[in-house]
Amino acid sequence: MRHILLLITFLLSTACGAFAVSAQTALSLDGFQSDPEASVEILADRLTVSQTNGAARFEGNVVIAQGDMRLSADLVDVTYLEAGGIARLSASGSVLLVSPTESAQADSANYDLTGRELRMRGAVLLNQGPVSLSADLLTIDLDTGGAVMEGRVRTVLPSGSK
């Protein structure tokens, strides 16, 4: 009887279009693959550069573009490589990542350009067409498009009926 109740609960959850998973979910985000050779363009209302460590802080309406990917946030700290170029971008405040096929929102994001990884944290919401997923953490491998969502993962699937 208990197995039947569990099965009914699962089917009702799926039929209603919402399914929550506690742990982690792996998925493919091909739209978030980026060209590591593409230049990085940054727009902001204000730029502050530290003369001691060469780091930069972009504030206000920050938009970062690399290839087809766009990242916007309230604040972005940039860490540079000693040899030149960008090592890491740390974004916070209304973070939004957009590609031609997907979008993701979070409280903060760390984009490791050398390790080719993007981590979004805090109230993460991912949209892939009609499918929405939410979690505490989203990690994307920018070379493969592979991704893992962790911490109370919730998936909303279309019902397939109109």
Side-chain angles (χ1 to χ4, degrees), residues 30-155:
D30 295 331
F32 288 134
Q33 289 177 294
S34 69
D35 178 3
E37 301 301 316
S39 60
V40 176
E41 179 182 1
I42 305 174
L43 304 168
D45 294 335
R46 177 184 170 108
L47 168 63
T48 306
V49 178
S50 169
Q51 295 299 324
T52 56
N53 62 6
R57 173 170 278 190
F58 293 86
E59 298 175 78
N61 301 308
V62 182
V63 178
I64 301 170
Q66 184 180 32
D68 288 339
M69 285 185 14
R70 301 283 179 273
L71 178 83
S72 62
D74 297 332
L75 172 72
V76 175
D77 289 314
V78 179
T79 305
Y80 293 95
L81 298 167
E82 285 186 28
I86 298 173
R88 178 179 308 276
L89 301 167
S90 297
S92 60
S94 303
V95 177
L96 176 63
L97 177 67
V98 178
S99 78
T101 58
E102 295 151 340
S103 66
Q105 301 174 36
D107 295 334
S108 66
N110 287 307
Y111 181 3
D112 180 353
L113 277 79
T114 55
R116 309 283 304 132
E117 181 179 85
L118 177 71
R119 286 182 168 253
M120 300 182 81
R121 290 185 188 277
V124 177
L125 176 62
L126 172 67
N127 292 303
Q128 288 183 298
V131 177
S132 296
L133 299 107
S134 63
D136 298 325
L137 173 67
L138 168 63
T139 304
I140 305 170
D141 181 323
L142 295 169
D143 287 326
T144 66
V148 175
M149 296 187 83
E150 297 179 69
R152 202 63 190 153
V153 177
R154 178 183 167 102
T155 305

